Amino acid sequence: MKSFFLSLSIAGLVFMGCNPSKEAVNQPDLTQYVKPNIGTAHSRWFFYTPASLPFGMAKLAPSTDGHYGNKWGWEAVGYDERHTSIEGFANFHEFQIGGVVFAPTVGQLQTQPGILENPDGGYRSRFDRKDEFATSGYYSVLLKDYNVKAELTATPRVGFHKYTFPESKESNVIFDIGHRQGESGAVVDAQVKLTDDGRIEGYVTTKPEYVKKYQEDAIVTMYFSAIPDKAPAGYGTFIDSTYTAGQKEVKGIGAGMYLTYETAANEAITIKVGLSYTSIDNARLNLETEAKDLTFDQAKEKALGTWNDYLGRIVVETTNEEDKIKFYTGLYHALLGRGLANDVNGAYPKNDGSVGQIELNADGKPKHNHYNTDAIWGGYWNLTQLWALAYPEYYADWVQSQLLVYKDAGWLGDGIATSKYVSGVGTNFTGLAIAAAYNIGIRDFDAELAYQAVRKNELEYEGRIAGAGKMDVGAFVKRGYAPYMVSKPGQEELTTEGSPFGTSHTLEYSFSAYAVAQFAKAMGKTDDYEQLMKLSKGWKEVYDPSVKFMRPKDENGKFIKDFDPTAPWVGFQEGNAWQYTFYVPHDAEELVEILGKDEFNNRLDSIFTISQKDIFGGGTNIDAFAGLKGLYNHGNQPNLHISWLFNFAGRPDLTQKWVRAICDEFYGVEGIHGYGYGQDEDQGQLGAWYVMSSIGLFDVKGLTSPDPAFQIGSPLFDKVTIRLPQNIRKGEFVIETVNNSKQNIYIQNAVLNGKEDNSLRLPYATLIKGGALKLQMGAEPRKQ
């Protein structure tokens, strides 16, 4: 396929201009359907950041328990729907990254946040939900204890805080810099100072738990430069609860600063804060470039406009308000994570702690951007498909970003925090996602370099570093499977000759080998292609026909005894044999053949029938891992494709039935029941799954096959319009349903671009040319 992104640059297209397209100007306000509070009873640190831009660096949000941190680096922390007090407003929210908190107070000075059980013991304040408003790009709340209205918005790299105070001689703004926040890990160092020109500047250096695990000597540093629009009447510094009036600078763990104002009733103080991962100077530059002349209201208007432009890439029409809310809130979450890590001048944090430079274009702007990112584990069943469909310029940038890390450190990273390796689950699907991008025509990168990086990720193991994940890939390459092997606690993802998760690794490595094989073939690497295709059959090594399950196999080639297919963690990461037996996306047709079509459909149908009683996951338990022992767990990555597998077994009606049921029942619109009950919305993956499934498009193979295509399901909406700015792709693709309802969920007839086509397959190459798909719906399955 001819590349259509050869001159594409997201830096010029979006982040420097933020100008809505002509279509966006004429469309309704889609931000009204974004409800960030949905699902916040189990909210990861980066989950709740309403005052931000798509893929931005500045992610501002209230925190109810952010300073608590968390033991393992992944637990829910930051904002919880059930909490009733706010401790402050953090500016950095990213995977393994968090900090730089501002908080307005009135009255006696307090310099520590205190605890939820005793709001009066710190600078936190009670609040009511009726006084809170949140959407994509803007947040406001009334802090009851101080009668202060706090408002937040952002540009890509600049946060805006607006605090409206009552009349008081003791109106304070706390700059809490040196305390642990969210997933950031322990603070190593911090500094804050008041400059002669009235700026509050500094940094905080942290050691996140995942960085410690995969790159022990590495650190993460966040820099800031803030400008209040009013000079304070007084100021001082603090370390924890000890403060020193009149001091302009302080350094160390627990460091912070306060400003004190005399305010009239309803007087607003606005603070702009430039952010950076490279230096204070670049934090200043980011502020000057993006926000020097912007007022708070102008920044808010631009933020809402940018969100409308992004949300408007996919316009859904329906009379069902809840489905619209689920859709646009899910899309919002999918566009939140994996935020900017480079400055406006192209400076970016390198893996070794130094500062790198992205090549600039003729206008002096970076040719692409660099991003922090959670692992792409499972992302090929949601995020990358969504990027390919509606945000290909970001997908192109994401690939370039991953290649920066490869060039700097020698291995592709899975997750990265300021380019430091944070592998997460200890595997690595970055190569698969890069191969899929090339496969669909996103090729605005050095293909030879990308292939080198991707091949190394799949096949090489000598000198492999822990942060690259797939530490047991050598065993897989040598044996054709990764053996099940018990390890020491905490070392599960670091073993090399096998793994406690060897069976799921075998299935995952087989899939990624298949994807990279297609890349090899396209690049003319015949020997690699043949080796990778052979490895892609590794899943057969761990399939036990006597029990018809994937089953752990030891280093001697023997299936383990006392096998319990419901047991999680025994051979399978974050899942069990019931769930992982269907993890053969690239060979779905052959898996159906081996199990037998009737057996396959009956087993899978019964799995969903039983799992529906537990809301397709962990029931009403507020716990990310509540569904690991179940037959199906929609709240975690390994299962996200299997409701679509009926399409490969002659029963598309069952895909239509069960995907609809999951959309309607697993997903909710409440703070507690949002993404299941307490399930894990990893940087928008569950939201992106809803977006793709609710419009009736999904690819089990993750766009990795030689002829990539979406399987067609049952859209929830009367009409779906997929469109992009004109400088990326001309035209739009429209999906219309006739006689659609909550009862009429089955496709009776499909017409693609004016011709009847009931293959229920939409080639990617057809979709991107624009066109129309019309689906006639009915209450009973279509007769074959």
Side-chain angles (χ1 to χ4, degrees):
M1 184 186 299
K2 184 179 179 181
S3 172
F4 48 86
F5 300 114
L6 294 180
S7 62
L8 193 60
S9 172
I10 194 171
L13 175 66
V14 179
F15 287 126
M16 300 311 296
C18 296
N19 293 318
S21 64
K22 290 181 180 179
E23 294 94 333
V25 172
N26 297 321
Q27 73 185 27
D29 177 20
L30 300 176
T31 66
Q32 66 181 303
Y33 302 111
V34 176
K35 308 294 183 185
N37 288 58
I38 289 174
T40 50
H42 189 274
S43 181
R44 293 284 293 277
W45 174 244
F46 44 70
F47 179 96
Y48 190 77
T49 56
S52 60
L53 288 189
F55 309 120
M57 178 188 294
K59 291 188 168 81
L60 280 60
S63 177
T64 62
D65 62 353
H67 87 279
Y68 285 41
N70 53 48
K71 182 178 181 181
W72 302 107
W74 60 264
E75 303 96 318
V77 67
Y79 183 93
D80 191 316
E81 173 76 9
R82 298 164 295 179
H83 295 163
T84 58
S85 62
I86 287 172
E87 59 183 40
F89 304 97
N91 291 277
F92 285 98
H93 285 82
E94 206 69 81
F95 180 57
Q96 300 299 292
I97 298 171
V100 183
V101 174
F102 300 172
T105 69
V106 174
Q108 182 179 354
L109 185 67
Q110 291 180 294
T111 56
Q112 288 188 297
I115 59 175
L116 289 161
E117 294 78 9
N118 180 24
D120 297 320
Y123 59 68
R124 71 170 58 241
S125 172
R126 299 166 182 85
F127 74 107
D128 287 335
R129 300 287 166 198
K130 66 179 178 62
D131 297 323
E132 182 183 47
F133 177 81
T135 188
S136 49
Y138 174 73
Y139 175 86
S140 70
V141 69
L142 178 66
L143 301 176
K144 289 172 60 179
D145 292 353
Y146 307 120
N147 193 28
V148 172
K149 182 180 181 180
E151 299 174 85
L152 311 173
T153 192
T155 68
R157 301 171 180 86
V158 180
F160 281 70
H161 299 247
K162 182 179 180 181
Y163 303 137
T164 302
F165 287 93
E167 182 179 2
S168 174
K169 294 184 178 181
E170 295 180 304
S171 292
N172 311 302
V173 179
I174 310 297
F175 297 82
D176 192 342
I177 310 305
H179 288 123
R180 180 179 188 143
Q181 288 293 323
E183 294 178 352
S184 69
V187 172
V188 176
D189 190 20
Q191 184 177 27
V192 60
K193 63 180 178 180
L194 176 61
T195 67
D196 292 340
D197 60 354
R199 298 172 184 258
I200 297 88
E201 297 182 327
Y203 66 84
V204 57
T205 300
T206 65
K207 198 146 184 96
E209 298 304 320
Y210 278 34
V211 171
K212 282 165 51 179
K213 184 173 185 178
Y214 295 107
Q215 201 171 344
E216 187 175 358
D217 296 331
I219 54 176
V220 168
T221 301
M222 295 153 271
Y223 301 89
F224 71 98
S225 176
I227 304 178
D229 66 353
K230 180 180 179 179
Y235 57 84
T237 63
F238 60 85
I239 295 285
D240 295 330
S241 60
T242 302
Y243 59 89
T244 305
Q247 184 168 288
K248 286 189 173 184
E249 185 173 352
V250 67
K251 188 175 186 294
I253 298 171
M257 175 163 282
Y258 66 89
L259 304 180
T260 299
Y261 295 91
E262 293 185 15
T263 55
N266 298 315
E267 181 178 354
I269 295 174
T270 298
I271 304 169
K272 302 177 187 179
V273 55
L275 306 175
S276 174
Y277 294 112
T278 65
S279 69
I280 293 173
D281 285 343
N282 278 333
R284 280 193 179 201
L285 178 65
N286 291 338
L287 193 158
E288 293 296 306
T289 303
E290 292 185 357
K292 179 180 179 180
D293 298 320
L294 277 185
T295 66
F296 182 93
D297 289 341
Q298 289 169 338
K300 173 186 172 183
E301 183 179 0
K302 285 175 70 74
L304 295 175
T306 298
W307 273 108
N308 267 318
D309 196 20
Y310 268 73
L311 297 171
R313 299 279 183 95
I314 309 177
V315 176
V316 297
E317 298 178 34
T318 177
T319 57
N320 188 306
E321 189 86 356
E322 283 199 358
D323 286 350
K324 261 192 173 181
I325 289 171
K326 290 180 187 179
F327 181 87
Y328 285 111
T329 302
L331 184 53
Y332 153 79
H333 277 125
L335 299 174
L336 265 188
R338 296 165 168 81
L340 276 168
N342 65 283
D343 302 310
V344 294
N345 61 0
Y348 74 95
K350 294 178 68 173
N351 177 269
D352 65 3
S354 64
V355 176
Q357 177 63 50
I358 298 170
E359 187 178 353
L360 305 180
N361 62 22
D363 296 326
K365 298 175 181 178
K367 287 188 174 181
H368 62 84
N369 284 311
H370 186 46
Y371 301 92
N372 294 300
T373 171
D374 193 359
I376 206 69
W377 196 56
Y380 32 80
W381 289 323
N382 36 68
L383 289 174
T384 60
Q385 294 189 39
L386 178 60
W387 298 344
L389 183 72
Y391 308 96
E393 78 279 22
Y394 176 78
Y395 201 168
D397 258 22
W398 181 87
V399 172
Q400 295 272 36
S401 182
Q402 300 300 315
L403 294 180
L404 274 185
V405 176
Y406 176 75
K407 286 188 288 186
D408 290 344
W411 295 88
L412 287 172
D414 187 20
I416 51 174
T418 64
S419 296
K420 312 305 185 297
Y421 291 117
V422 284
S423 182
V425 292
T427 184
N428 190 330
F429 277 102
T430 303
L432 180 149
I434 293 173
Y438 187 88
N439 194 41
I440 60 173
I442 297 176
R443 300 177 179 180
D444 187 25
F445 52 83
D446 184 335
E448 284 291 344
L449 176 69
Y451 180 73
Q452 176 192 104
V454 167
R455 182 193 182 280
K456 187 175 184 180
N457 195 47
E458 294 305 311
L459 298 177
E460 296 189 24
Y461 45 90
E462 295 293 338
R464 195 174 187 103
I465 60 174
K470 301 179 76 159
M471 295 300 288
D472 57 340
V473 75
F476 173 73
V477 170
K478 294 173 187 175
R479 299 170 180 264
Y481 75 98
Y484 169 70
M485 189 176 293
V486 178
S487 70
K488 294 179 181 178
Q491 300 296 305
E492 293 88 353
E493 296 142 22
L494 306 176
T495 54
T496 57
E497 298 304 315
S499 168
F501 314 133
T503 316
S504 59
H505 284 182
T506 298
L507 301 171
E508 292 172 338
Y509 301 170
S510 297
F511 181 26
S512 58
Y514 170 84
V516 177
Q518 312 317 311
F519 195 3
K521 187 175 183 179
M523 296 292 289
K525 314 289 187 182
T526 304
D527 290 344
D528 288 350
Y529 171 76
E530 292 176 354
Q531 181 184 11
L532 288 161
M533 284 302 291
K534 183 178 179 180
L535 288 171
S536 77
K537 301 297 182 180
W539 63 272
K540 294 183 178 181
E541 294 288 333
V542 293
Y543 176 73
D544 183 353
S546 70
V547 293
K548 295 187 176 182
F549 281 107
M550 301 298 174
R551 183 172 182 174
K553 181 182 280 189
D554 65 23
E555 63 268 31
N556 297 315
K558 303 291 186 183
F559 287 117
I560 65 169
K561 298 179 180 179
D562 303 320
F563 171 59
D564 177 3
T566 66
W569 306 109
V570 182
F572 304 97
Q573 187 157 27
E574 299 185 22
N576 60 37
W578 275 101
Q579 297 167 8
Y580 268 104
T581 292
F582 296 97
Y583 198 120
V584 192
H586 58 297
D587 274 342
E589 299 90 343
E590 191 167 358
L591 179 65
V592 171
E593 183 180 338
I594 285 176
L595 275 171
K597 188 175 290 187
D598 290 341
E599 167 77 12
F600 183 94
N601 286 325
N602 290 337
R603 184 197 288 196
L604 197 53
D605 188 40
S606 65
I607 283 173
F608 285 111
T609 300
I610 294 169
S611 300
Q612 190 174 27
K613 298 173 184 177
D614 282 327
I615 321 175
F616 301 106
T620 56
N621 294 314
I622 301 178
D623 180 353
F625 290 151
L628 295 196
K629 292 184 179 180
L631 303 182
Y632 175 80
N633 181 24
H634 193 77
N636 215 357
Q637 287 86 341
N639 281 181
L640 294 181
H641 68 301
I642 74 172
S643 57
W644 288 85
L645 287 175
F646 295 107
N647 284 326
F648 297 89
R651 291 297 305 273
D653 59 300
L654 291 177
T655 281
Q656 294 159 30
K657 172 185 176 179
W658 289 118
V659 169
R660 278 265 197 149
I662 293 167
C663 286
D664 288 341
E665 298 170 31
F666 178 86
Y667 293 86
V669 293
E670 302 84 28
I672 293 178
H673 176 204
Y675 295 83
Y677 284 82
Q679 301 301 289
D680 203 356
E681 167 68 317
D682 273 331
Q683 286 203 318
Q685 287 196 31
L686 290 178
W689 187 96
Y690 182 92
V691 167
M692 296 301 300
S693 295
S694 68
I695 65 174
L697 298 178
F698 191 92
D699 183 22
V700 165
K701 300 176 190 289
L703 301 175
T704 64
S705 64
D707 54 345
F710 293 110
Q711 293 86 61
I712 297 172
S714 176
L716 273 65
F717 305 105
D718 301 325
K719 185 178 181 181
V720 178
T721 304
I722 302 164
R723 62 193 186 197
L724 287 178
Q726 294 296 302
N727 57 337
I728 299 179
R729 182 189 299 161
K730 293 183 179 180
E732 56 191 27
F733 193 88
V734 177
I735 303 169
E736 287 191 81
T737 58
V738 180
N739 199 34
N740 194 16
S741 70
K742 291 297 183 183
Q743 293 72 42
N744 296 343
I745 65 174
Y746 297 106
I747 298 172
Q748 307 299 305
N749 191 52
V751 176
L752 176 60
N753 292 334
K755 296 181 181 179
E756 186 173 340
D757 182 351
N758 286 299
S759 66
L760 298 185
R761 182 178 181 274
L762 177 58
Y764 183 81
T766 299
L767 183 148
I768 63 172
K769 293 175 184 176
L773 174 67
K774 181 169 284 190
L775 303 174
Q776 182 75 37
M777 311 301 291
E780 299 294 333
R782 178 178 184 268
K783 293 182 180 179
Q784 301 296 323

